[in-house]
């Protein structure tokens, strides 16, 4: 993950946001929202439906497939069906295109609330994408070279673990954001610090030769 860049993608408008930060970065999301992380790990399809419903503030008339962030030219032709039966479409989207569904919800929340992109989040997502591509390449090569099938299985297992972990962290991040700020108007001007570590107040040392007098002395 350290070898992946944290810079935003070229022409990505989220790289220019400076209004506020996520309540937690994906790296710290499992600790800051353990329940959301567990739900995203073991039941991410159902969590996708819940997060999208919460992100839309219960107004399913705003629903579109992946909120228009993934293949908008393809999803636009489904608008008539989506407006007629948004809930079945959301279920199909969450179960058939799980990662795209969650990414659409996350980007919708980020754009609506002008949340700045976290470089560490970019590294996690890009590391997962690289592992998925590597696993696909190894699977294709294994079809023609039997000697690397064992290696391909190991890489596929690592890629699957990375995928589930990324989904869990992303679910926990979005869930915490929506829990603390149900709408874009619930921030009150306060901003959060991404991945803020606990710190303790440090008192400056007393100058040499100057000590406080014990109680009872004048």
């Amino acid at each position: 993950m350290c070898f992946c860049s944290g810079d935003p993608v070229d022409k990505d408008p989220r790289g220019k946001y400076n209004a506020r930060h996520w309540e937690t970065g994906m790296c710290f999301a499992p600790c800051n929202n353990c329940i959301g992380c567990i739900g995203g790990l073991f039941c991410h399809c159902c969590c996708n439906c819940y997060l999208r419903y919460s992100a839309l503030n219960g107004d399913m008339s705003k629903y579109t497939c992946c909120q228009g962030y993934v293949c908008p030219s393809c999803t636009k032709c489904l608008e008539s069906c989506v407006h007629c039966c948004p809930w079945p479409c959301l279920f199909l989207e969450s179960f058939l295109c799980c990662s795209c569904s969650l990414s659409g919800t996350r980007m919708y929340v980020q754009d609506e609330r002008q949340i700045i992109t976290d470089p560490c989040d970019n590294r996690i997502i890009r590391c997962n994408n690289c592992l998925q591509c590597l696993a696909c390449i190894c699977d294709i090569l294994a079809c023609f070279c039997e000697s690397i099938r064992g290696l391909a299985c190991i890489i596929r297992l690592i890629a699957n673990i990375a995928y589930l972990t990324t989904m869990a962290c992303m679910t926990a991040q979005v869930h915490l954001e929506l829990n603390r700020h149900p709408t874009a108007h619930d921030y009150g001007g306060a901003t959060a610090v991404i991945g803020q570590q606990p710190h303790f107040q440090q008192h400056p040392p007393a100058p040499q030769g100057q000590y406080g007098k014990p109680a009872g002395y004048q």
Side-chain angles (χ1 to χ4, degrees):
M1 187 181 72
C2 297
F3 298 100
C4 297
S5 173
D7 298 333
V9 180
D10 293 340
K11 299 181 180 180
D12 180 11
R14 298 167 200 88
K16 301 179 181 179
Y17 291 158
N18 55 11
R20 57 178 61 93
H21 297 276
W22 288 102
E23 284 291 327
T24 180
M26 288 174 58
C27 188
F28 301 99
C31 297
N32 295 330
N33 187 11
C34 185
I35 295 178
C37 184
I38 293 175
L41 182 63
F42 295 102
C43 194
H44 45 266
C45 296
C46 295
C47 288
N48 281 352
C49 295
Y50 173 76
L51 290 179
R52 182 68 61 80
Y53 179 76
S54 300
L56 298 176
N57 297 316
D59 185 3
M60 291 301 290
S61 64
K62 299 178 182 178
Y63 168 77
T64 58
C65 185
C66 296
Q67 292 307 117
Y69 287 98
V70 181
C71 297
S73 57
C74 297
T75 57
K76 189 175 182 180
C77 62
L78 302 174
E79 289 183 354
S80 58
C81 179
V82 166
H83 292 312
C84 294
C85 45
W87 277 109
C89 291
L90 176 58
F91 289 142
L92 289 175
E93 174 195 323
S94 299
F95 281 85
L96 298 180
C97 308
C98 189
S99 60
C100 295
S101 176
L102 181 56
S103 295
T105 301
R106 182 174 181 270
M107 287 186 286
Y108 176 81
V109 171
Q110 190 173 1
D111 285 343
E112 183 189 41
R113 295 146 192 255
Q114 301 284 295
I115 299 176
I116 193 172
T117 298
D118 183 359
C120 187
D121 291 356
N122 285 343
R123 293 188 183 96
I124 294 174
I125 295 171
R126 287 168 182 171
C127 179
N128 172 67
N129 293 342
C130 290
L131 286 173
Q132 302 308 318
C133 292
L134 178 62
C136 290
I137 293 173
C138 291
D139 287 341
I140 294 174
L141 293 177
C143 295
F144 303 97
C145 184
E146 186 176 355
S147 60
I148 66 170
R149 289 183 180 177
L151 176 62
C153 291
I154 294 175
I155 295 177
R156 171 55 62 187
L157 177 61
I158 295 174
N160 288 340
I161 294 174
Y163 168 78
L164 291 175
T165 304
T166 302
M167 292 287 290
C169 292
M170 191 177 294
T171 299
Q173 180 188 53
V174 178
H175 178 254
L176 183 64
E177 193 74 28
L178 293 174
N179 265 3
R180 293 188 179 179
H181 310 287
T183 69
H185 306 289
D186 294 332
Y187 287 86
T191 59
V193 179
I194 297 177
Q196 183 177 11
Q197 295 280 9
H199 61 277
F200 303 93
Q201 184 177 2
Q202 296 181 353
H203 299 281
Q208 294 183 357
Q210 298 181 8
Y211 302 93
K213 294 182 179 181
Y217 286 83
Q218 299 296 328

